[in-house]
Amino acid sequence: MKLKELVEKLDLEVKSASGNLETEVTGGYVSDLLSDVMANCKKGDIWVTLQIHPNIAAVGTLKELAGIIINNSREPEEETLKKAEGEALPILISKLPAFELVGRMYELGISGLR
Amino acid sequence: MVEESSIFGKGFTVRGGDFANAGEVSCKVRNILKEIGINSDIIRRVAIVAYEAEMNVVMYAREGTLSFEVTPDRIKLVMEDEGNGIENIELAMQEGYSTATDEIREMGFGAGMGLPNIKKNSDDFKINSIVGKGTRVEVTIST
């Protein structure tokens, strides 16, 4: 599924790299621990997290993720968005809590296993 | 450390406590390797090593240098810092062990996975530390 479809179906707010939503989302991962994401997230994953600081943009870039969804309506820091924009990495916001958000993505066919 | 057979090498300074720019050096390393056409699976491993090494300096040291060198058959990364050093390396290598402050943990760092992640992605891994002086990590990834 393309990131663009996820944005539409889950009513996500696009905060950065709005021109880069054609990426194929090939899996998903949820974690608020950066090293866990570095170790276990895969290229093309959508990453769900509560973290909002600039380092998430570096992690998303290094892991070549499809994008990052920040749950519970948390607003990313300005510097985070600046960095994400520079790396063409989409950061999205969902109003939903992580459990519900992930459940809905799973229903749409996105899996945490490959 | 640049050898004659080296195709490319570069070093970057990482400042301790600089969370705002943390991760930038790793991104630079990754972009350079991408530009010189290194295989993407290798780049992914280097990215993990560089990121964790960089974060260790940001979290625990005063200042450090991350340098890398590309030769025809391997990539070597060296992270050297000036800082408190590691008292018990065996413990530090255990997954989940961390001396990070609560503040650092709240940001999602200090999960006790850094050094294990580095080792897992290395073909050769060496670590030396002197308490009160600093730590040196040397990693080789065969290409």
Side-chain angles (χ1 to χ4, degrees), chain B residues 46-68:
Chain B
V46 173
I48 294 170
V49 169
Y51 174 82
E52 296 291 6
E54 182 181 359
M55 289 316 303
N56 278 347
V57 174
V58 173
M59 288 188 283
Y60 304 112
R62 278 187 300 278
E63 191 173 271
T65 320
L66 175 66
S67 49
F68 73 99

Side-chain angles (χ1 to χ4, degrees), chain B residues 29-42:
Chain B
V29 170
R30 167 186 170 265
N31 292 343
I32 292 169
L33 295 181
K34 235 179 156 176
E35 260 168 48
I36 53 179
I38 303 293
N39 167 292
S40 57
D41 287 332
I42 299 291

Side-chain angles (χ1 to χ4, degrees), chain A residues 32-36 38-40 43 51 53-55 58-59 61-64 83 87, chain B residues 20-24 26-27 30 44 47-48 51-52 55 106-109 111 113 117:
Chain A
D32 296 326
L33 293 178
L34 286 304
S35 282
D36 176 37
M38 283 308 290
N40 299 313
K43 180 185 176 180
Q51 300 291 355
H53 56 71
N55 203 260
V59 169
T61 304
L62 289 167
K63 296 299 285 185
E64 300 178 31
K83 285 189 183 188
E87 298 285 354
Chain B
N21 293 302
E24 267 184 14
S26 326
C27 286
R30 167 186 170 265
R44 274 196 281 279
I48 294 170
Y51 174 82
E52 296 291 6
M55 289 316 303
E106 273 164 26
M107 291 170 79
F109 303 112
M113 292 175 74
N117 272 358

Side-chain angles (χ1 to χ4, degrees), chain A residues 6 9-10 96 98-110:
Chain A
L6 265 191
K9 290 191 166 132
L10 297 171
L96 300 173
F99 191 95
E100 185 64 25
L101 174 64
V102 170
R104 291 195 194 178
M105 284 201 277
Y106 191 82
E107 269 184 352
L108 291 170
I110 294 168

Side-chain angles (χ1 to χ4, degrees), chain A residues 71-97:
Chain A
N71 60 286
N72 279 6
S73 297
R74 300 233 309 175
E75 279 288 333
E77 291 171 20
E78 211 171 295
E79 199 55 34
T80 308
L81 295 178
K82 221 186 276 171
K83 285 189 183 188
E85 198 64 58
E87 298 285 354
L89 174 75
I91 291 188
L92 319 151
I93 300 180
S94 168
K95 294 187 183 74
L96 300 173

Side-chain angles (χ1 to χ4, degrees), chain B residues 80-118:
Chain B
E80 243 171 326
D81 73 44
E82 290 166 26
N84 295 335
I86 301 168
E87 259 178 56
N88 187 333
I89 289 178
E90 207 182 312
L91 262 181
M93 292 308 300
Q94 268 178 31
E95 197 144 334
Y97 178 82
S98 176
T99 57
T101 60
D102 286 348
E103 200 187 352
I104 287 175
R105 287 175 206 256
E106 273 164 26
M107 291 170 79
F109 303 112
M113 292 175 74
L115 287 173
N117 272 358
I118 293 176

